[in-house]
Amino acid sequence: MLLTLLQRCGRSALTAPTARTLQAVNRRYSSSNMAKRVAVVLAGCGVYDGSEIHEASAVLVHLSRGGARVNMFAPNIDQMHVVNHLKGEPSEEKRNVLVESARLARGNIQDLSKLSVKEHDAVIFPGGFGAAKNLCTWAVQGKDCSVNEEVKAVLQAFHGEGKPIGLCCISPVLAAKVFPGCEVTVGVENDEKCPGTADTAAAINQLGCKHVSKSVGESHVDQKNKLVTTAAFMCEAPIHEIFDGIGSMVQGVLKLA
């Protein structure tokens, strides 16, 4: 009798953990199969002439936390100019956007021309002046700017496939230029904490798009166009609030993907 009882208890003790282990394995297997494939497009390295480093890092951290598989890309072109970030002044040297972006990507980056929309579920563009200088000419021409042809093709391809596009800081102007009638945010208008928002928002509206005021910790979702935008460093805020806002944007992109 005692032997039978011990055998039953042994079977029960083994069965429950085994079942739980199998369930955990199945969840991990299912999760890996469902991982979203996200392309991140960089514009150099450094706030004044490339991608804003904190924004790019925040995007990657939140994508990692969301279980996404990430590939990074950048156009293989010269930067508009190079800025000495210590002095805040342009220098005479020349740098390549793809080569500089490789600094942020730890070398794991590809030419933007190789980005396949079929192989990705979403695309995200961090901000920084590089988005307005290298990916387009907004920094010098405002609403009359032109968008780099490869960047424009990527935006149109994801939009055409109904796949979400995430943009932060100044990069939402790319969407405003390429998708007339879309909705984006670059912060809160007429707020001293967002000193650059009012003029940018006005230009966005002049392009026939709608600017939606959102605080730095929020994001805006244009459901029709599957655009998710957030202000990031367009506003003067503690870095953790900017990090949270980018997290809101990334979550919105993954939810739509």
Side-chain angles (χ1 to χ4, degrees):
M1 176 69 77
L2 180 59
L3 178 59
T4 302
L5 181 60
L6 287 172
Q7 289 174 336
R8 288 177 179 173
C9 289
R11 283 196 296 272
S12 298
L14 288 171
T15 301
T18 300
R20 286 196 293 271
T21 300
L22 288 173
Q23 289 171 356
V25 169
N26 287 336
R27 282 196 297 269
R28 287 196 295 270
Y29 178 77
S30 175
S31 176
S32 66
N33 276 349
M34 298 295 289
K36 305 300 183 182
R37 303 162 301 171
V38 181
V40 175
V41 179
L42 300 177
C45 181
V47 58
Y48 298 130
D49 57 12
S51 290
E52 210 295 321
I53 294 172
H54 297 298
E55 291 178 8
S57 295
V59 166
L60 296 175
V61 169
H62 285 294
L63 285 173
S64 176
R65 183 168 289 155
R69 299 205 310 259
V70 177
N71 292 311
M72 286 177 272
F73 301 86
N76 187 7
I77 58 175
D78 287 338
Q79 293 182 185
M80 184 187 112
H81 62 184
V82 177
V83 175
N84 180 322
H85 281 58
L86 181 62
K87 296 181 178 179
E89 300 173 352
S91 68
E92 295 300 319
E93 62 184 301
K94 291 185 178 181
R95 297 189 184 186
N96 177 277
V97 174
L98 177 59
V99 173
E100 290 302 295
S101 297
R103 293 174 179 271
L104 278 173
R106 298 172 63 88
N108 187 15
I109 194 166
Q110 301 175 65
D111 191 316
L112 184 60
S113 64
K114 297 180 180 179
L115 198 169
S116 169
V117 66
K118 299 294 185 182
E119 296 177 359
H120 295 86
D121 300 300
V123 63
I124 293 178
F125 291 78
F129 279 99
K133 292 178 177 180
N134 304 326
L135 304 188
C136 70
T137 59
W138 185 279
V140 292
Q141 294 180 300
K143 65 181 180 62
D144 298 318
C145 75
S146 60
V147 177
N148 172 278
E149 288 301 320
E150 287 183 351
V151 172
K152 184 177 180 179
V154 166
L155 288 166
Q156 291 176 330
F158 276 86
H159 187 263
E161 292 285 336
K163 295 181 177 181
I165 301 169
L167 309 107
C168 65
C169 193
I170 192 61
S171 67
V173 301
L174 295 169
K177 189 66 181 181
V178 176
F179 308 123
C182 71
E183 298 179 358
V184 298
T185 187
V186 289
V188 180
E189 296 178 56
N190 302 316
D191 186 330
E192 61 181 12
K193 293 182 180 179
C194 303
T197 294
D199 290 344
T200 305
I204 288 170
N205 291 330
Q206 289 168 15
L207 286 171
C209 300
K210 179 181 179 181
H211 179 263
V212 181
S213 285
K214 290 286 184 177
S215 67
V216 69
E218 300 177 303
S219 61
H220 177 70
V221 180
D222 178 345
Q223 293 285 352
K224 179 181 177 181
N225 292 291
K226 288 195 173 182
L227 300 174
V228 189
T229 53
T230 191
F233 278 102
M234 287 293 288
C235 296
E236 297 175 355
I239 194 168
H240 71 275
E241 292 183 10
I242 291 165
F243 184 89
D244 291 344
I246 292 173
S248 175
M249 180 266 285
V250 169
Q251 291 171 18
V253 167
L254 294 178
K255 186 176 180 180
L256 289 174

